[in-house]
Amino acid sequence: IATISSGGTAPMSGWMTVWRGVDTTTQIDNAATSAAYAAPGTPFTVTITGIDPTTDGAFVVAAWTSVDNNTWDTLTSGWTLPSSRAQLRNSSGTDTSHVIAYKEVASGSSGDVSVNQATLGGDAGSTHIISIRPTVVAGGTTNPGWAGGGWW
C-alpha cells in the first residue's frame, strides 16, 4: 500500500503510474536523480539532462513539478505523456503542478527532455529522472511501457 503525506494541512496532489514489462528482480536500471530549478525565463522551458540506461530497452521516466498550478506544453519529440494527460494541476491551497513523460531507449542515452510552463509560467520547482529495467527475454524485451495509473 502506498501512502502520500505532506506532513501538514496544505492540499496536495499525487500521481500514480503503473508500468508493464518491468524486471521483477531488479526494477531500477538507473537510480533516480532529482534537482531543484529556479524560475525559468520566457518561454519558461525546463530541461532535464538525459541519462544512459545500463540495459537496452529500458524506459526512462521524467517528471517536473512547480510551485504553481501551471499548465505545461511543448514536450520534446519522442517522449510520451501517460494517457496523453498533459499535467496534473492542484489549484487549491498552495497550488502545484506536475507533468510526467516517458521514453523507451533501445540503446544509448535518452537525450535531454524539456517541457514548457505554458500558463502562469516562470515558477520554480523540481525535476526527476529514472530508468526502469525491462524484463529481458530471448529476442528482446517484453514491450515495457506505461500500463495505467491515476491521480488524486
Side-chain angles (χ1 to χ4, degrees):
I1 297 174
T3 61
I4 296 177
S5 173
S6 67
T9 58
M12 61 180 294
S13 302
W15 194 339
M16 179 182 75
T17 58
V18 179
W19 306 93
R20 68 174 182 269
V22 177
D23 186 297
T24 57
T25 304
T26 307
Q27 297 85 15
I28 306 301
D29 191 64
N30 289 84
T33 59
S34 298
Y37 64 87
T42 303
F44 312 121
T45 302
V46 182
T47 301
I48 301 174
T49 301
I51 59 176
D52 191 354
T54 59
T55 305
D56 290 348
F59 48 106
V60 177
V61 181
W64 298 257
T65 66
S66 78
V67 295
D68 203 354
N69 57 332
N70 296 297
T71 60
W72 299 77
D73 68 7
T74 319
L75 178 66
T76 300
S77 179
W79 289 77
T80 303
L81 300 168
S83 181
S84 298
R85 185 174 179 90
Q87 71 269 322
L88 177 63
R89 299 172 66 205
N90 181 346
S91 58
S92 299
T94 58
D95 291 351
T96 57
S97 64
H98 318 275
V99 63
I100 297 173
Y102 67 95
K103 175 182 183 179
E104 183 177 354
V105 179
S107 65
S109 174
S110 65
D112 295 350
V113 57
S114 299
V115 69
N116 294 355
Q117 295 175 357
T119 60
L120 310 176
D123 296 300
S126 62
T127 61
H128 315 273
I129 191 165
I130 188 172
S131 66
I132 300 174
R133 183 170 292 170
T135 300
V136 178
V137 295
T141 64
T142 58
N143 188 27
W146 183 75
W151 38 89
W152 59 95

